[in-house]
Amino acid sequence: MRLTIDQLNAAAADEAVALLDGTYEHSPWIARRALAARPFRSLAHLKHALAQAVSSATDDEKLGLIRAHPELAGKAMVSKTLTAESTHEQGKAGLTECTPEEFAKIQQLNADYNAKFGFPFILAVRGPRGTGLGKREIIETFERRLHNHPGFELAEALRNIHRIAEIRLNDKFGTEPALGNLVWDWQESLAVHSDPGFAEKGQLTVTYLTDAHRACAAQLVREMRDCGFDSVEIDAVGNVVGRYEGATPDAKALLTGSHYDTVRNGGKYDGRLGIFVPMACVRELKRQNRRLPFAFEVVGFAEEEGQRYKATFLGSGALIGHFDPAWLEQKDADGITMREARLHAGLREEDIPKIRRDPSKYLGFVEVHIEQGPVLNELDIPLGIVTSINGGVRYVGEVIGMASHAGTTPMDRRRDAAAAVAELILYAEQRAAKDGDSVATVGMLEVPGGSINVVPGRCRFSLDIRAPNDPQRDAVVRDVLAALAQIAERRGVRYTLEEAMRAAAAPSAPEWQRRWEAAVDSLGVPLYRMPSGAGHDAMKLHEVMPQAMLFVRGINSGISHNPLESTTNDDMQLAVQAFQHLLDQLATEQAH
């Protein structure tokens, strides 16, 4: 019999604990403490309350919880003493059918892991889709996590325990994240297209107007049509535009979407999640034969990452009239100009001005995006409210000192260019940390012609500084550049510095941020407000219309621009439901 939230809320404490038995392995104390959060508003609320009970536990209790779990393909499986839940999960992942070689490999990994960390390796083997990981993926994850820092790995073990509990709760409540599964499957299907040189290695790379890029666009067109959009087209820059008309022909439109290009060897969810979540909403509207009092326009932006050509935000920029004709003369690594690539794709230069949007015909722009960071993952919160997209400034610079013999130049007589940049890096790190939400990064560092026995005479570097608002960003910039000048003076070196990029912060429009907050709250999920450190298409639309974003938690520590980038079907389900609530709320507002 399926459990219900109402049943759990009404049950006496001991009965409620019994109803949740098996959710966390041999640890009924978690359910008992989570009951303090009753009445639970939703299954998502219950999941969070259980995670919070663990978060507030003592270190010994957390370690005890981890140790209560069996090893993967370990002694308990062999002796058939696993709990029913663990037996089902390990069986679904094929661990009960290991070859002798696989079994020996896992046994050795178990031994090495226990020797390093002092607790068993924990992995939610049913995976982010809930259907089970393959044995190869399990072994690769085991090997990768064996190199983690002990403190980090303990937290990663607990996060996997929460995912195990989430899937077990879905089973108890008879809940299937159907729309989350749909979004997941769309993304997996789109990820089969990858550029040459990467596809052969099983890596995902889709850059502007390659054959793989155009195959993605064609697939998005088919899937949008299948969802029931009234019109679908590929526009003059390669954006895929689907429009679901409102109840009246002259209705304004809500604009949404994200990009479908990727970085090299990137992840499947960056950008694309923001296309498929609203597509799922349109699919449901069409199934209900329902029209909103406004049109709904979903755009798969053709280019955001600036990988093949240095034309970042080309897709969203074109919608606001920001297409630089000089881009057409840029050449890719193979010497193909953008103009040639566009001709090959059948795109006409004279059509580009026609796709510029009239902001007066739009209500605003909203975007769903995977977080691309560790914050939501560490807090065990599935959705985040974006307060602002950070403003950023980038520089490329070089410090020039004096190359000299490493053995004969005394330390107090050196003009070491690399040491000067190293000092700058440490200062930038400390200065940004003072704000709490500013960031400063030196991502490129090079000693041209460097040698092991030569004091560096030159050091090239990059500098990237970001903050939630422009004054805060500019204050960090002033302090870091002042420090660079002081370091150079004290060390007897000189420097050059060129500003390479400047982007204004894009604070969320208050009324649209409130709509996202109401949507998340309706799911029983705690509100967490956060800035976005990464740039997004919403930054461009922000220049002409109000915008606000919703973040979705990533797993694997929230890593992004990486093949390990991922999220779960449950979190995707919540993102779709939040978007549906936003649409419903907006429809109610428009009706009055």
Side-chain angles (χ1 to χ4, degrees):
M1 182 177 176
R2 294 178 179 178
L3 183 60
T4 68
I5 288 293
D6 288 342
Q7 181 184 357
L8 189 63
N9 283 333
D14 289 344
E15 181 188 358
V17 171
L19 289 170
L20 295 173
D21 181 54
T23 302
Y24 285 86
E25 201 89 353
H26 304 298
S27 302
W29 59 268
I30 298 172
R32 189 169 297 279
R33 292 181 192 177
L35 294 180
R38 287 197 292 182
F40 301 117
R41 299 170 55 200
S42 63
L43 181 55
H45 183 199
L46 169 62
K47 291 173 181 177
H48 181 70
L50 290 164
Q52 288 302 107
V54 175
S55 178
S56 61
T58 67
D59 290 344
D60 286 343
E61 287 172 324
K62 292 174 183 175
L63 197 55
L65 170 62
I66 295 172
R67 288 174 174 161
H69 285 72
E71 293 180 337
L72 292 182
K75 296 175 183 177
M77 188 189 79
V78 174
S79 62
K80 301 188 186 307
T81 56
L82 293 173
T83 63
E85 292 85 1
S86 288
T87 299
H88 174 64
E89 289 154 0
Q90 295 205 23
K92 200 155 189 175
L95 293 175
T96 54
E97 299 175 4
C98 286
T99 64
E101 294 77 16
E102 290 169 337
F103 185 73
K105 177 71 171 178
I106 293 174
Q107 289 300 297
Q108 185 59 54
L109 287 168
N110 275 323
D112 294 344
Y113 188 94
N114 268 293
K116 178 174 181 178
F117 298 114
F119 50 80
F121 174 70
I122 309 296
L123 178 64
V125 293
R126 284 178 64 180
R129 174 64 164 78
T131 50
L133 300 174
K135 286 180 284 186
R136 178 179 175 183
E137 187 173 358
I138 290 170
I139 291 172
E140 288 175 350
T141 304
F142 214 147
E143 291 173 328
R144 172 172 53 82
R145 283 175 49 190
L146 191 55
H147 299 290
N148 284 341
H149 182 276
F152 178 89
E153 184 56 23
L154 186 140
E156 191 69 3
L158 291 172
R159 285 191 283 269
N160 273 273
I161 287 172
H162 293 317
R163 175 59 181 162
I164 293 168
E166 176 166 64
I167 295 172
R168 291 179 179 181
L169 284 168
N170 290 348
D171 292 343
K172 280 181 179 290
F173 282 79
T175 298
E176 182 74 16
L179 294 174
N181 289 340
L182 177 68
V183 171
W184 170 278
D185 293 341
W186 276 336
Q187 287 172 141
E188 291 294 306
S189 176
L190 197 65
V192 302
H193 307 295
S194 190
D195 290 351
F198 297 92
E200 299 87 339
K201 302 173 187 176
Q203 298 174 350
L204 178 62
T205 300
V206 177
T207 59
Y208 187 53
L209 295 182
T210 60
D211 289 345
H213 184 273
R214 292 165 59 213
C216 285
Q219 186 167 326
L220 285 172
V221 168
R222 291 193 299 271
E223 288 167 346
M224 283 186 175
R225 286 176 177 155
D226 289 344
C227 286
F229 283 84
D230 296 303
S231 61
V232 184
E233 66 171 358
I234 297 175
D235 73 14
V237 297
N239 295 330
V240 180
V241 183
R243 189 174 170 98
Y244 189 74
E245 298 297 345
T248 57
D250 58 345
K252 288 188 176 184
L254 173 63
L255 185 61
T256 189
S258 197
H259 61 97
Y260 65 90
D261 68 321
T262 75
V263 297
R264 293 179 175 88
N265 194 22
K268 302 173 184 176
Y269 309 95
D270 174 14
R272 297 173 175 197
L273 184 64
I275 304 169
F276 290 128
V277 166
M279 279 174 57
C281 294
V282 170
R283 179 179 178 271
E284 293 306 292
L285 288 168
K286 183 66 174 179
R287 281 160 58 95
Q288 298 163 13
N289 196 28
R290 180 184 169 202
R291 293 285 169 178
L292 300 167
F294 51 88
F296 191 33
E297 190 173 316
V298 181
V299 183
F301 294 115
E303 207 290 334
E304 189 253 20
E305 299 288 4
Q307 298 287 297
R308 185 180 182 186
Y309 302 103
K310 300 307 174 187
T312 308
F313 300 116
L314 181 154
S316 51
L319 295 195
I320 64 169
H322 290 183
F323 184 92
D324 185 353
W327 289 339
L328 296 169
E329 306 308 323
Q330 288 188 19
K331 293 182 179 181
D332 67 8
D334 296 319
I336 300 170
T337 66
M338 185 187 291
R339 175 175 277 111
E340 291 167 337
R342 286 177 49 80
L343 285 171
H344 179 66
L347 303 179
R348 303 197 315 166
E349 187 177 340
E350 58 268 31
D351 290 338
I352 296 174
K354 300 175 186 175
I355 69 172
R356 182 174 184 172
R357 298 302 194 267
D358 178 356
S360 69
K361 296 181 178 179
Y362 289 86
L363 298 168
F365 178 83
V366 291
E367 182 175 358
V368 174
H369 207 283
I370 195 167
E371 180 200 349
Q372 299 185 283
V375 176
L376 295 176
N377 188 254
E378 291 176 357
L379 293 172
D380 293 308
I381 295 176
L383 302 174
I385 309 296
V386 178
T387 56
S388 178
I389 304 170
N390 284 2
V393 180
R394 292 178 185 170
Y395 297 92
V396 289
E398 183 173 19
V399 171
I400 302 98
M402 178 63 72
S404 58
H405 196 293
T408 62
T409 309
M411 297 304 292
D412 62 351
R413 291 173 174 81
R414 297 183 175 209
R415 294 165 60 195
D416 188 328
V421 177
E423 189 175 343
L424 175 70
I425 292 171
L426 292 175
Y427 176 82
E429 180 182 61
Q430 294 162 4
R431 173 59 185 86
K434 275 178 57 179
D435 291 343
D437 52 4
S438 297
V439 291
T441 307
V442 173
M444 296 191 298
L445 199 60
E446 178 192 5
V447 176
S451 180
I452 196 168
N453 60 349
V454 176
V455 175
R458 308 177 81 90
C459 186
R460 297 174 184 149
F461 64 98
S462 63
L463 179 62
D464 182 309
I465 296 174
R466 310 186 195 197
N469 59 73
D470 294 344
Q472 181 175 323
R473 176 203 63 195
D474 293 343
V476 178
V477 168
R478 281 195 302 272
D479 290 347
V480 171
L481 297 193
L484 174 59
Q486 293 166 4
I487 292 166
E489 177 69 23
R490 175 164 37 82
R491 288 182 171 271
V493 298
R494 61 189 176 87
Y495 66 90
T496 63
L497 196 66
E498 178 186 351
E499 185 176 305
M501 186 277 289
R502 178 175 292 265
S508 297
E511 68 276 18
W512 286 100
Q513 182 179 322
R514 284 193 294 270
R515 290 184 182 110
W516 277 129
E517 290 173 355
V520 171
D521 182 67
S522 73
L523 303 174
V525 173
L527 297 183
Y528 184 78
R529 301 171 181 88
M530 61 191 300
S532 170
H536 299 288
D537 289 300
M539 295 179 75
K540 299 303 294 183
L541 278 303
H542 173 83
E543 297 179 32
V544 299
M545 65 181 72
Q547 62 78 28
M549 294 185 66
L550 179 73
F551 273 168
V552 181
R553 166 176 55 185
I555 60 173
N556 296 324
S557 308
I559 195 168
S560 185
H561 285 186
N562 185 296
L564 293 175
E565 174 185 280
S566 189
T567 184
T568 68
N569 56 348
D570 284 273
D571 287 357
M572 292 182 196
Q573 176 80 21
L574 290 173
V576 175
Q577 291 174 328
F579 211 132
Q580 289 175 317
H581 186 280
L582 181 142
L583 293 174
D584 290 343
Q585 181 183 0
L586 191 58
T588 300
E589 294 172 14
Q590 295 285 303
H592 294 83

